[in-house]
Amino acid sequence: MDSNTSSEVRGGGNASSQRLQTLLHHFRSSSSSTTTTNQFNSKPTNKRAAVLVCVFQSPEDGDLRVILTQRASSLSTHSGEVALPGGKREEGDADDVQTALREAKEEIGLDPSLVSVITLLEPFTTKYDVTVIPVVGILTDKDAFSPVLNPAEVEAMFDAPLDMFLKNDNRRAEERDWKGEKHLVHYFDYEVENKKYVIWALTAAILIRAATVVLQRPPAFLEQRPKIWGGITESDMIMLQTSTPTK
């Protein structure tokens, strides 16, 4: 685990649940699951970004949930859209982990010491050629987190079940063409406290991948990612084979 992340799960009551302990220990003991922070450092700083996939356990039902934000309507790009905390890497950032944690602190007031980073996912490159590194971390003591939203960047913060991004419920998809290659853009509709959100495009793709890795099971639908994000997955191949009628 990176030295910039907290090294131990905070103990005490519900703050350190058995499920989170098991998850943390699984990733700590699996070197193949953890990507080194310097593996993707070939991109210039102004072409790199990192987002934090911050997972915690619901005290009500024990399910794993992920923190999401709605970007401020005043922003010049992607205004009002649902996103993960994160942003562009700055010159002073030591690595992608520090970028993700710094941005989460700036946007929603999340103290980096509360987050135990368990893995980095493979890069997602945007159509603007920005490499986005998803950093997956566990918030083991949800009660210690008192959100402070930066109104210049964030309009709202909410959380959603992580396994939602592996289910067909409230999901739709559109086929798109990018550089002559067809792929699917996924949309997840979610409502909380009488407010409706749509989680889609890059954010949805990252959450599908994060849920697959953390929950260790494939989505119940065809991903059909563009080649730049890994293309057809093993799960897709199985789904396509089983859906093809035999002669």
Side-chain angles (χ1 to χ4, degrees):
M1 183 175 295
D2 189 90
S3 60
N4 291 322
T5 64
S6 69
S7 59
E8 294 297 331
V9 175
R10 294 173 179 267
N14 293 330
S16 181
S17 71
Q18 185 61 44
R19 185 174 185 184
L20 290 183
Q21 288 277 16
T22 301
L23 182 63
L24 186 61
H25 291 161
H26 165 75
F27 280 95
R28 281 181 172 175
S29 62
S30 177
S31 58
S32 62
S33 296
T34 305
T35 306
T36 61
T37 60
N38 295 318
Q39 185 170 344
F40 309 119
N41 280 347
S42 58
K43 282 280 186 182
T45 301
N46 63 349
K47 285 288 188 178
R48 297 181 65 78
V51 295
L52 180 64
V53 183
C54 189
V55 176
F56 68 94
Q57 186 166 17
S58 167
E60 287 80 19
D61 55 21
D63 287 345
L64 296 182
R65 303 181 70 86
V66 61
I67 293 174
L68 294 162
T69 66
Q70 182 180 27
R71 288 169 60 85
S73 56
S74 58
L75 292 172
S76 59
T77 59
H78 305 289
S79 60
E81 292 186 5
V82 172
L84 290 156
K88 290 184 178 180
R89 183 164 168 176
E90 296 183 353
E91 291 290 347
D93 293 340
D95 49 38
D96 300 304
V97 170
Q98 187 173 347
T99 299
L101 295 177
R102 174 184 55 75
E103 287 284 340
K105 172 69 173 177
E106 292 175 3
E107 291 181 5
I108 60 175
L110 177 58
D111 188 334
S113 68
L114 297 177
V115 180
S116 294
V117 172
I118 57 174
T119 192
L120 277 68
L121 303 181
E122 63 270 28
F124 286 73
T125 303
T126 72
K127 61 183 179 181
Y128 303 108
D129 197 34
V130 176
T131 296
V132 180
I133 307 297
V135 176
V136 183
I138 295 176
L139 175 61
T140 51
D141 189 354
K142 180 64 163 55
D143 292 338
F145 173 37
S146 299
V148 179
L149 306 188
N150 180 349
E153 299 188 54
V154 176
E155 188 169 305
M157 189 193 85
F158 64 101
D159 53 78
L162 187 62
D163 67 356
M164 180 179 85
F165 301 100
L166 299 180
K167 298 178 179 179
N168 256 321
D169 305 342
N170 304 317
R171 185 195 70 90
R172 51 198 165 89
E174 292 180 359
E175 189 176 72
R176 299 283 180 87
D177 187 284
W178 187 23
K179 297 183 179 180
E181 175 198 358
K182 295 188 183 302
H183 65 279
L184 292 178
V185 174
H186 300 276
Y187 299 76
F188 293 88
D189 297 307
Y190 186 64
E191 183 173 353
V192 58
E193 297 180 351
N194 297 318
K195 189 167 184 178
K196 295 181 179 180
Y197 298 97
V198 179
I199 306 155
W200 68 295
L202 179 67
T203 300
I206 290 174
L207 288 168
I208 292 169
R209 180 62 184 148
T212 299
V213 170
V214 172
L215 300 176
Q216 299 178 56
R217 67 175 190 267
F221 50 82
L222 190 70
E223 277 189 80
Q224 196 174 334
R225 300 185 295 183
K227 288 180 182 178
I228 200 169
W229 294 351
I232 297 293
T233 65
E234 183 178 348
S235 173
D236 283 350
M237 290 295 294
I238 295 172
M239 196 170 293
L240 288 169
Q241 289 170 3
T242 56
S243 63
T244 302
T246 56
K247 295 184 178 179

